[in-house]
Amino acid sequence: MQLTIWRFLDGNCAHEKQSAALISGLRDCIGDTLDCYDIAPLTLFQLLRRGLPADLQQLPRPHFIVGAGHRSHWPMLLARRRFGGRSVVIMKPSLPLCWFDFAIIPEHDRPPALANVIVSQGALTEPLPAGPTVAGRGLILLGGPSKHFCWDGTKVQAVVEKLLQMPGDWIVSDSRRTPLGVLERLRGSGGKIFHWRDCPPDWLAEQLAQAERIWVTGDSISMLFEALQSRAQVGVIALPSRRRNNKVRAAVQRLLDQEMLVDALALEQGECIKAVPREPLAQQRLCARALLRRSGMVES
């Protein structure tokens, strides 16, 4: 099967990672017979003034037109109307779902049960680098305050210090949302400290792939799903919810109920001392397979 995909970018790195993950899943399903053409971000003003780029005429006609993020929506729809193909929007769009052929939406966004909706378990993430894990390697990733969670610095520090007392080679890193001073207060507790500003682009993926144990604060739902792309045991450090009805907290609880995560209470019971290898989540492959099946390109 020869598959041609036009991928509309929107300038947001997190969004573009999700569309890249879907392309990766499609390659896993059909092999190297896939051509993907990336199309630079377009504003609505540019579309109204100039229309779609003229060089799209030179590209092979698309089977799928893929995009993630608001800025990609109108260009995708206009390209589909003019050049054909099936539109595939990733994440819940700002436009009506019925305007798109397919939508891939995380379950924690509570997508409607429509025929064109493919439900993913979390945001799509690309596979991690291949290679063996490093014996004893542990990784702790810290988020920060968000619209869903308050930040309990005292609790986070206590859990992290307890983890750092466990045997192994521990690495601790923060993120853009981490409050100032959090990493500094952990110096001397053991482990190696890395500020996100000082890390090269591929650093995190390499650390996730090498770790036997990964712990993430509960506000970072995207980071939890990236960690689940590894073979490591993944734990979550819970944070206080800002409201009773919290879709991110519910998504984390489902992962705990499915025993895909462990929580900080397990530390008291000694359950996290030995890492248990598992298979990567690989949602990008499952969603790609569902997309091909619903499009009639593979058998059910």
Side-chain angles (χ1 to χ4, degrees), residues 3-242:
L3 198 63
T4 298
I5 297 176
W6 291 5
R7 183 170 76 116
F8 281 87
L9 309 179
D10 83 333
N12 182 306
C13 182
H15 296 167
E16 292 172 8
K17 281 185 175 181
Q18 293 199 51
S19 57
L22 179 62
I23 305 303
S24 173
L26 289 167
R27 288 191 194 279
D28 285 346
C29 292
I30 68 170
D32 294 330
T33 58
L34 183 152
D35 294 320
C36 180
Y37 299 90
D38 289 349
I39 300 163
L42 297 164
T43 65
L44 185 57
F45 176 77
Q46 289 173 317
L47 286 173
L48 292 173
R49 185 177 180 184
R50 302 176 187 170
L52 291 166
D55 56 5
L56 294 185
Q57 292 275 12
Q58 311 304 318
L59 299 180
R61 292 297 184 262
H63 294 92
F64 292 121
I65 297 171
V66 173
H70 302 312
R71 287 183 65 185
S72 70
H73 294 167
W74 280 111
M76 289 171 62
L77 293 173
L78 290 175
R80 179 188 181 279
R81 181 177 181 181
R82 183 171 177 184
F83 298 104
R86 296 179 179 182
S87 56
V88 184
V89 64
I90 301 171
M91 303 187 303
K92 196 171 184 178
S94 53
L95 300 174
L97 280 168
C98 61
W99 290 10
F100 298 90
D101 293 290
F102 297 102
I104 300 175
I105 304 175
E107 64 177 350
H108 61 257
D109 282 339
R110 300 161 187 165
L114 298 174
N116 65 332
V117 172
I118 298 171
V119 179
S120 66
Q121 192 168 9
L124 300 185
T125 57
E126 293 184 83
L128 297 174
T133 58
V134 176
R137 175 65 57 84
L139 180 64
I140 302 171
L141 301 172
L142 306 177
S146 72
K147 66 180 181 180
H148 298 291
F149 294 95
C150 302
W151 181 259
D152 186 341
T154 301
K155 177 181 178 180
V156 171
Q157 183 171 346
V159 173
V160 171
E161 288 177 346
K162 192 173 188 67
L163 287 167
L164 294 176
Q165 293 171 9
M166 297 170 62
D169 173 24
W170 287 93
I171 290 173
V172 186
S173 185
D174 61 353
S175 66
R176 289 177 176 83
R177 288 188 291 105
T178 307
L180 292 175
V182 170
L183 281 189
E184 283 66 23
R185 287 192 291 272
L186 291 170
R187 291 192 186 278
S189 300
K192 301 172 185 176
I193 303 294
F194 290 87
H195 280 286
W196 68 268
R197 293 186 188 88
D198 303 327
C199 300
D202 296 332
W203 181 86
L204 180 58
E206 292 172 358
Q207 300 308 315
L208 290 168
Q210 293 174 6
E212 285 188 337
R213 289 172 288 181
I214 302 171
W215 281 79
V216 184
T217 52
D219 60 286
S220 302
I221 186 69
S222 60
M223 191 60 63
L224 280 168
F225 279 102
E226 285 194 57
L228 289 170
Q229 287 286 62
S230 72
R231 297 182 182 277
Q233 179 193 60
V234 181
V236 60
I237 302 171
L239 291 172
S241 176
R242 290 190 183 273

Side-chain angles (χ1 to χ4, degrees), residues 235-256:
V236 60
I237 302 171
L239 291 172
S241 176
R242 290 190 183 273
R243 58 184 67 87
R244 288 183 61 190
N245 186 13
N246 186 331
K247 66 179 184 179
V248 174
R249 181 182 61 184
V252 172
Q253 187 59 55
R254 282 194 293 274
L255 293 172
L256 288 166

